[in-house]
Amino acid sequence: MKLAHGRRVVQGAGILFGLFGVTGIGMTHILFPGLHCYACPWAITVCPVGLVQNLVIFGTVPFFWLGAMIVYGLVAARGFCGWFCPFGTLNDLLSFRKVRIRSAFSYGKFVVLLGTIIGAWALTDTVFCKLCPAASLEASLPYLFLGVARVNGPFLIHMATLGLSLVGMVLIARFWCRYLCPMGAILALFNPVSLLQLEWRSAECTGCETCVAACPMGIDPRREHDGHNCIKCGACTESCAPDCLALRYGPRRKQ
Amino acid sequence: MRRLLGVLSVALALAVCSASAWSQEGILTFSPEPAVLEISPGGRAAGHVAIENASPREADHIELTWTGSTEFALDPTPEGVAVLGAFAATSVEFTIAATRTATLGETRGSFEVIYTYCIGDLCYQIVESVPVALRVAAAAQTPPAVAAGAADAAAAEAPTHVSWRWIAFALAALLVVPAALLRREGRARVLLAAALLVAGGAALGLGVSLDQHKQAQAVGAVLCTSCVGIETVQTLSPRLSVAQAAAVDGLAKPVDLLVFYAPWCRSCPYAEGLVDLIASRNPLVRYRLVNAEVERGLAVEHGVTRAGRTVVPAILRVDTGEVLFGAENLGDRLVTLLEERT
Ligand code: SF4
Ligand code: SF4
Ligand code: SF4
């Protein structure tokens, strides 16, 4: 099976996991390793971004949250973005135009993360959630059909952020994940130490740059394979004819 | 340079996160006295729980219940404290009764204390467990052991553990910075990963021991309508328009309502207040407040959950089973709900 097919299967599993509440299981203690709204009527997991805002408001020292983030970071870091996160999968499905990344803008996600936390602290409110496009899709819309939400100001704001993100995704592959996602920013911190690594063997590289064209995040896999923008999706590894790019799992480089 | 910017922003985020939570951390300390309760099977023992408020905020509705072994019970139920002001202290007297079959020897029990406090419009319910030591001895009249020293030590320790938590958190979080900066393969990466694994495991373990996993679940399990922006928060004091008041006065049949709320939900007080206003205008309207976190079963039974998620505030008309969610435009919606014939 090709890597891309395997990835679709895992992404499907991510969506199933995200919507596992249809089976009647309620909320569990698990934090989702991606951006998946806990307000989604069928969510069985807690959104780390939503939770940390609440913890900042409550004034809790977030040990459990930090521990979960570190574990997810070690297990796959942004590999969860490439392989598991349902909102990332939506980004993926709309990845038509793999334009090069604007590296400066890609720090936007850290700014969003910072703003999320400062906003929660300063306004004692979950400010990010009110703008979050994942919530627009996974909470606002379902609740409209379930008769809880009404078309009002906050609903329209959600639709606007979702609309803008969708337009962004169509024009720029993985737009949300590249530039804005605070969850992507958290996972990105662990990219260099994660057990899931993208490896580049320079000796075999012919400089054809097909990998650059293949990357949905618009980075140069040869130079930024362990940077904060690689989602370890493996698209570049499949495109590389001499096979000098590979995903590897484990603490050490294979010789 | 850009990398440095990224790291700086993250460090700043962590600093702000810490500072904010520091300024809002927990507010009451509880020390039961005597430190060891002497009790005989079938007998009773009295004591008190000293409560200290070390914060500039007021604590409300402090209640004490017994959650230890069923061989003991609080009898009578101790009186709660309605309000404990900033930097104030008080104590709650209690009497514990042991069953005749209570096992002899030393044992531990615990009180569950519940209280709320508010920062601005936002209120939190704190549930804490206060351990007490019991010595069950056949002779009832042994003088209580002198244990004031132990209680003092516990009281002195309480404020410091807060900063301990923050130091531990900061240490673990600091490990993330080199992780984010790391650019070389090799031993440094393996060592850092190992250190992170230990820190992550410890943080998870500590979090679980502090019941933070339950807190996470609670945050996810009950959805307040303003939390993810289904509507805006409603914090005005509830009022009825002239037309609404007239409609309420005109109700001729009794109606029972259940008002589902969560202690931390910001629009809930508005919904509660509005229903209370209506009920005080027209005694035919009766209502009961239901904490959706506690009585989850009731919420499920009455369809206050939507596809598995409990939504608050929610007002249920018991006879028709109709539910109103949220607080937006609630006056009109409530009047319509009340006016409907069965
Ligand atoms: S609104 Fe967004 S950030 Fe908030 S809980 Fe939902 S998915 Fe997470
Ligand atoms: S960047 Fe955010 S939305 Fe994109 S895949 Fe990662 S967690 Fe999901
Ligand atoms: S560098 Fe390769 S693995 Fe990383 S995001 Fe780009 S295509 Fe995916």
Side-chain angles (χ1 to χ4, degrees), chain A residues 27 29 38 40-41 43 57-61 63-64 70 114 121 125-126 130 143 146 150 152 158 189 192, chain B residues 9 13 20 24-25 122 124 165 179-180 189 196 212-213 215 217 226-228 230-231 266 306-307 309 328:
Chain A
M27 185 54 69
H29 304 299
Y38 54 34
C40 168
I57 297 170
F58 293 166
T60 308
V61 192
F63 288 116
F64 185 67
I70 292 179
L114 193 68
W121 174 51
D125 202 355
T126 49
K130 290 167 174 112
Y143 281 122
L146 291 169
R150 292 168 296 281
N152 51 12
H158 263 309
L189 295 175
Chain B
S9 62
S20 74
Q24 292 170 11
E25 178 72 35
L122 199 55
Y124 313 116
R165 285 183 196 177
R189 172 177 284 172
L196 272 172
Q212 290 186 345
H213 59 305
Q215 185 188 17
Q217 186 199 29
S226 67
C227 291
V228 295
I230 285 176
E231 56 179 28
R266 293 208 284 166
R306 279 291 175 276
R309 187 73 69 256
E328 197 181 64

Side-chain angles (χ1 to χ4, degrees), chain A residues 140 143-144 147-156, chain B residues 225 229-232 324-330 333:
Chain A
S140 287
Y143 281 122
L144 186 70
V148 175
R150 292 168 296 281
V151 178
N152 51 12
F155 181 85
L156 293 176
Chain B
T225 50
I230 285 176
E231 56 179 28
T232 43
L324 299 181
F325 291 105
E328 197 181 64
N329 201 10
L330 190 59
R333 291 193 290 144

